[in-house]
Amino acid sequence: MSQTLFKPTPEITAFIDAVLEESARVYGLHKWAVLAPGKTQLLANTRSIAAQVLRRMTGASLPQIGGIFGRDHTSVLIMLRRGRVERDVQRVLQHVRARFPGPIHWPTSQGKRADSYPSIFLTQEDSDGTEGGSNK
């Protein structure tokens, strides 16, 4: 599956790292565990926190958020509907806003709508020229 995707700005990359790190910290996990394929309640709650923070702070589309986690937009919709983690979402929002006080602008490319890009990560048109996804 080859798509034309944009390279994330350094600000967006740092922001996503901060959201993943703070969300994982709630449950004592490493930030990369949030991106793992597991489906335990702990991972699902952690992903839900991260997805809700990303959505609230950036207004990113469901496909864009799903691209971060390697999931489709319907999975993100489920993540956003998890009400049980609201207290943790507020805590993560507070920490992330302290690190990124200004507005976070999700990147678009040359006048195209932001939601036309399902991921912030590059696919096979990556700089190394190899096929397959890359989550650098």
Side-chain angles (χ1 to χ4, degrees):
M1 169 168 90
S2 174
Q3 299 175 4
T4 304
L5 304 175
F6 56 86
K7 291 185 179 185
T9 64
E11 179 189 34
I12 290 292
T13 301
F15 173 73
I16 292 170
D17 280 346
V19 170
L20 294 176
E21 183 179 298
E22 292 296 333
S23 299
R25 188 176 301 181
V26 170
Y27 296 110
L29 300 172
H30 188 276
K31 68 181 178 182
W32 298 116
V34 180
L35 302 175
K39 294 183 179 185
T40 66
Q41 186 74 37
L42 186 67
L43 290 175
N45 286 345
T46 306
R47 280 188 207 105
S48 178
I49 293 167
Q52 289 184 43
V53 170
L54 288 166
R55 180 71 169 191
R56 290 180 192 185
M57 288 189 72
T58 67
S61 69
L62 302 182
Q64 286 174 324
I65 295 170
I68 295 168
F69 298 103
R71 286 165 168 69
D72 64 18
H73 71 284
T74 56
S75 296
V76 176
L77 191 58
I78 292 167
M79 289 180 207
L80 295 176
R81 289 183 176 166
R82 285 180 169 267
R84 297 173 288 211
V85 295
E86 184 58 33
R87 186 178 66 215
D88 296 328
V89 169
Q90 292 302 321
R91 191 167 99 191
V92 171
L93 276 168
Q94 181 180 15
H95 287 281
V96 174
R97 283 185 178 140
R99 291 172 69 178
F100 296 88
I104 301 296
H105 300 287
W106 206 259
T108 60
S109 178
Q110 301 168 346
K112 294 184 180 178
R113 290 179 20 194
D115 63 358
S116 65
Y117 299 99
S119 174
I120 61 132
F121 297 110
L122 299 174
T123 57
Q124 66 188 24
E125 282 79 31
D126 205 359
S127 60
D128 64 1
T130 61
E131 288 194 24
S134 175
N135 287 353
K136 291 184 181 177

